[in-house]
Structures are given as C-alpha cells and as structure tokens.
Amino acid sequence: MPITIAPVTPGFVAEVGDIDLARPLSAADFDQLRQAFTSYSVLVFANQDLTPEQHLAFSARWGAVEKDRTLDPKATPPRLSGEFADISNLSAEGRIWGETSRQRMYKAGNRLWHTDSSFKRLPSLCSLLYASTVVPIGGHTEFADQRAAYDALPQSMKARLQGLVAEHWIVHSRRRSGFHEFNEDEMKRLPPVPQVVVRTLPESGRKSLFVASHAGRIFGMPDAEGRALIDELIAHVTQRQFVYTHRWRPHELVMWDNRCTMHRGTDYDDLRWVREMRRVTVSDVANTCEQEGVTCAA
Ligand code: OGA
Ligand code: MN
C-alpha cells in the first residue's frame, strides 16, 4: 500500500499515514517522503512505536546525524546518549528536574522562536522529534513558516535583505532567555557563525528567511539596527497566519525543515508533569553563506 500524505495546511504541514517508521522504507516510499518534505516543511507521523535505534535509523536516511553536544557533559550530565537531544524535563537520573537545575535554565531557551543548530557553522537540515510521554495541558510545539513569510514581504524589504549575513551564536538566544552560565569549554566550542538572512532551498528553488533567536547581529550594520531588523523579521514570521501549533499525542514523530521554519515549545507545568521526548538532528550539507555564494563577513 502506498503511503498517504494528508495536508493539514496547504503548503506547510502534512500528516503521513500508512507508514511504519520502525521498518526500513522502500526507495519508492522514501522518495515520496522526500517530495512531501519539499512541499511541506513539517511532517507528522502518528502512532509510531519506535526504539531509539529505529528513530536513529530513519533519521540517518536524511543525512549525517549530529553527534556533538552543546552543553559540557561534566557541567550538565546528559540523560541520553550521543545522537539524542533530550527534549524532556528529566534529570540524568530520570526524575523531574530541579527548579534551578542547569538543564532547566538552559532549556528555557526552547521557549523562544528558534531554528535548531543555526548557531553551528554547518547548520541543520531537519530535526526529528519523537514523543513518548506527553503532558495533559500545554507543552505544545509551534512552527512558523519562513518561506511563506518571505513571500509575503514587500518588495522593498526583499531588496533590503538581499545579501545580508547575520551572526548566529547560542549566547545570543541564551542571554535572551536568561541563561548566562556557559563555561569556558562551551564558549570555546560554540563560537559565533555567519548565516545568510535569506536562503534558497535547492530542491524547490523557493526562498526563505533564515533568522530566529540565535541571530543577534547583522554584519555591516550597527548592533542596534541589526538587532531591530532581526526582531522585526521574527515578529513578521511568527504572525498567526504563518504558525501551526502541534498538539502532541503519545508515540508521534514530527520532523521539520530547519532551513525554512522556526519553532518553540509552549509553556506547561514542568515541575508537575513528565514530558518525555527525544530529538535527532540531521546536518545540512554546507554553511548557508557557501550555499548562497555570499562572501562571509566572519
Ligand atoms: C526541539 C524543541 C521545543 C519543545 O525539539 O528542538 O525546541 O519543547 N522543542 O517542544
Ligand atoms: Mn528546537
């Protein structure tokens, strides 16, 4: 039986059915998924029963899986192994985290609109997030469509943005969410990187904005002006008409295109309910400046 693609919105989100991600996919099925991923930026797979290995195997079909950690494991011991980003509210011992724990303070940054790994020189193609335990109220994930938002910009703004390069740095987003405790090792591993403000997606030729909370400055612009432009673009992209709110069901996998979306987690009572999710992040093929043929200012 062929897989089923059911649009949730005309060009941003689709549900995928008649598919079992625990098994290896045929080339034809994967090809169909690839096409869906080009048309839609967010794909929802309901009722999947995945081991970590199966989650990883499906993710690896999309490209190289990120293995490097953002936080120093000595300062913040991880609960999950190498390839998995922990999107839960659990400590390394598997209990609900402490109110002032480093994990909790750091992950508060996920409440800001962001794109995974845009602060790495080689940014991310896509993320694949699998939910084991969901919370009864709140704890949604919202996605914003940076392609549609680009299309809707006035011509004058499109012209202004052409060729601009922003500085992405994890420190920019964490400062905004109130986390100031990066240690020396983390600062060394996570230097600021350049990314273009407007990128072109090779498969579709569509243009997309590529800014979110990791972006803090724009090269060649006074800091305050760059900051104001970034804030203006984030406000534009996150208007209701570009946003989809995903309400999680258990055993669901959602994958999204980090090249042309922003996302954020919504609030929930994280000291009361367990929310257990794990994410695999797949790398893109090159830095965005290289992809666009723009000379990087840094
Ligand atoms: C992510 C993420 C936010 C959330 O998985 O990358 O930012 O809490 N998630 O759902
Ligand atoms: Mn994220």
Side-chain angles (χ1 to χ4, degrees):
M1 187 195 268
I3 64 178
T4 301
I5 312 282
V8 176
T9 73
F12 186 43
V13 184
E15 290 177 353
V16 185
D18 299 308
I19 188 165
D20 179 0
L21 299 180
R23 295 170 188 225
L25 295 178
S26 69
D29 282 355
F30 191 69
D31 208 47
Q32 210 187 330
L33 275 188
R34 236 186 224 299
Q35 285 175 33
F37 185 65
T38 302
S39 306
Y40 304 94
S41 304
V42 181
L43 299 178
V44 178
F45 303 83
N47 299 319
Q48 301 296 324
D49 196 3
L50 294 183
T51 64
E53 292 71 28
Q54 290 162 339
H55 181 181
L56 205 52
F58 175 61
S59 304
R61 300 242 359 213
W62 297 89
V65 167
E66 282 189 6
K67 289 192 177 68
D68 49 324
R69 291 204 170 276
T70 307
L71 293 181
D72 175 4
K74 286 200 282 298
T76 311
R79 188 177 63 96
L80 304 176
S81 68
E83 294 92 343
F84 292 98
D86 192 359
I87 309 295
S88 77
N89 56 337
L90 300 173
S91 67
E93 297 76 39
R95 287 189 294 274
I96 287 188
W97 55 23
E99 189 168 1
T100 56
S101 64
R102 197 169 193 260
Q103 282 111 317
R104 184 169 192 251
M105 296 298 122
Y106 176 76
K107 285 196 191 136
N110 279 344
R111 299 280 213 278
L112 302 177
W113 287 106
H114 67 281
T115 47
D116 294 333
S117 297
S118 72
F119 55 86
K120 296 181 182 171
R121 183 163 284 273
L122 187 59
S124 163
L125 169 74
C126 62
S127 290
L128 303 97
L129 181 59
Y130 181 64
S132 326
T133 307
V134 306
V135 296
I137 183 163
H140 313 308
T141 308
E142 298 194 302
F143 297 91
D145 185 347
Q146 299 210 65
R147 300 193 299 192
Y150 177 82
D151 291 344
L153 287 173
Q155 199 50 48
S156 56
M157 182 58 108
K158 288 181 182 167
R160 183 174 172 211
L161 299 179
Q162 200 50 48
L164 291 186
V165 177
E167 179 186 83
H168 288 235
W169 192 20
I170 188 75
V171 172
H172 287 311
S173 59
R174 266 39 190 186
R175 271 186 194 148
R176 286 209 233 177
S177 66
F179 181 87
H180 301 278
E181 282 103 57
F182 286 112
N183 65 26
E184 226 172 283
D185 168 73
E186 290 161 342
M187 291 297 271
K188 235 189 281 158
R189 279 190 294 114
L190 302 164
V193 301
Q195 306 287 3
V196 292
V197 170
V198 176
R199 65 190 302 181
T200 311
L201 301 173
E203 302 85 15
S204 62
R206 285 189 67 182
K207 286 194 173 183
S208 178
L209 286 167
F210 188 57
V211 286
S213 63
H214 302 314
R217 296 197 303 138
I218 294 185
F219 293 103
M221 243 183 228
D223 282 5
E225 195 185 324
R227 167 89 276 154
L229 180 57
I230 290 163
D231 288 346
E232 182 184 343
L233 292 173
I234 294 174
H236 169 72
V237 173
T238 58
Q239 295 176 88
R240 206 63 231 174
Q241 68 269 31
F242 304 127
V243 172
Y244 162 73
T245 300
H246 186 70
R247 294 175 160 76
W248 288 94
R249 294 165 289 190
H251 303 287
E252 207 161 41
L253 182 133
V254 175
M255 73 175 283
W256 61 88
D257 192 334
N258 279 311
R259 300 171 303 175
C260 57
T261 63
M262 296 177 190
H263 63 277
R264 68 172 178 187
T266 73
D267 228 358
Y268 68 101
D269 191 344
D270 65 308
L271 298 176
R272 178 178 179 198
W273 309 109
V274 170
R275 181 175 188 252
E276 189 173 8
M277 304 196 180
R278 56 178 69 206
R279 188 188 83 213
V280 178
T281 316
V282 174
S283 295
D284 201 353
V285 291
N287 176 268
T288 56
C289 295
E290 278 171 44
Q291 287 190 36
E292 293 295 321
V294 169
T295 314
C296 290

